[in-house]
Amino acid sequence: MEYILAPSILAADFKELGRQMKSTEDNGAGYLHFDVMDGMFVPSISFGMPVLASIQGVTDQVMDVHLMVQEPIRYIEAFKQAGADLVTIHLEACKDVRASIQKIRECGLKAGLSICPETPAEAVEPYLGEVDMILVMSVHPGFGGQKFIPESLDKIRCIRRMSKERGLALDIQVDGGIYLSNVREVLDAGANVIVAGSAVFGGDPGANTSDFMEILREYE
Ligand code: DX5
Ligand code: ZN
């Protein structure tokens, strides 16, 4: 299983976005986490397809698009066109989860399914065989810089156990409130894809990425 850092550009300095992306790539971050917020599913609004299209080719990182939007099925094709490699949708935001996952597949993208802190881990059980990644939100989606919700650890353990019981090589991504100080307990619980916004872009993104990658490499 690969251990991956996915810096969230929600916390980046958009005046320096290209340069900051490059420094995270140069220091080992394999994914770039792109937080799309619609002001409906979550209270805030972030950015969308034009920004994603504008950063195509800046790095070779996997464009890991986190759709915090109502009825994401409406936008999957557009994000594919804008350069997404992986699209994660929220179970709570879909009228038809299966159809939404299917749409991601039809677009030839990797598929992720995310659950909010208040959604039990068991809710993703019916979909484990249909996605590449489960995203466990360790904060209430909508903002960077929040505090990690410790109850997330049991959810990660539960999903890793369900994945193992089915012989699946599922990626488990965890997103929100992750710092160098608590990343090991998230990895110990069974996560292998770590999202970090403030912890990477607050300060020197290259040095912060390198510090995270040093810890992730202990688990390789
Ligand atoms: C929150 C987003 C997260 C957030 C992470 O809704 O999905 O990706 O940007 O930011 P930090 O790492 O600062 O909690
Ligand atoms: Zn996110």
Side-chain angles (χ1 to χ4, degrees):
M1 183 161 61
E2 209 186 336
Y3 286 82
I4 300 162
L5 182 68
S8 162
I9 60 165
L10 188 70
D13 174 355
F14 271 67
K15 299 188 301 303
E16 304 287 334
L17 183 56
R19 193 178 56 73
Q20 292 195 337
M21 285 169 57
K22 271 301 284 155
S23 66
T24 68
E25 180 184 49
D26 294 347
N27 286 277
Y31 283 17
L32 197 77
H33 189 75
F34 192 87
D35 279 316
V36 181
M37 301 177 184
D38 67 354
M40 298 294 284
F41 179 67
V42 291
S44 30
I45 292 175
S46 57
F47 34 70
M49 296 76 90
V51 173
L52 182 63
S54 73
I55 59 174
Q56 284 322 295
V58 170
T59 67
D60 293 329
Q61 293 167 305
V62 170
M63 291 296 124
D64 163 32
V65 174
H66 179 193
L67 291 183
M68 290 162 276
V69 306
Q70 286 294 15
E71 274 318 298
I73 194 168
R74 299 173 293 157
Y75 298 102
I76 293 164
E77 176 66 40
F79 274 98
K80 173 197 168 58
Q81 294 310 325
D85 297 303
L86 190 167
V87 168
T88 296
I89 57 179
H90 268 267
L91 182 143
E92 305 91 346
C94 301
K95 277 199 200 83
D96 183 337
V97 177
R98 199 152 263 121
S100 306
I101 294 169
Q102 188 52 35
K103 179 70 180 167
I104 300 173
R105 287 278 182 245
E106 283 162 15
C107 288
L109 302 172
K110 288 184 82 170
L113 181 62
S114 183
I115 48 174
C116 294
E118 56 277 7
T119 304
E122 293 73 13
V124 299
E125 192 165 2
Y127 309 104
L128 292 181
E130 299 167 37
V131 296
D132 302 288
M133 184 170 85
I134 297 290
L135 167 48
V136 176
M137 288 306 295
S138 39
V139 295
H140 294 285
F143 304 94
Q146 300 179 76
K147 210 172 150 342
F148 183 86
I149 298 172
E151 288 72 15
S152 316
L153 295 172
D154 276 343
K155 291 172 70 171
I156 299 162
R157 291 187 193 102
C158 174
I159 293 165
R160 184 52 75 201
R161 192 176 52 252
M162 292 195 285
S163 169
K164 276 202 181 113
E165 284 161 1
R166 288 158 180 74
L168 298 171
L170 208 58
D171 282 334
I172 300 180
Q173 185 178 52
V174 184
D175 182 4
I178 300 180
Y179 292 83
L180 294 174
S181 56
N182 62 1
V183 66
R184 279 191 178 84
E185 55 184 348
V186 177
L187 295 163
D188 291 342
N192 69 302
V193 185
I194 299 296
V195 177
S198 315
V200 168
F201 292 107
D204 177 347
N208 293 336
T209 298
S210 168
D211 293 343
F212 268 105
M213 288 313 296
E214 212 173 295
I215 296 173
L216 266 64
R217 285 193 187 104
E218 293 169 14
Y219 289 75
E220 293 288 359

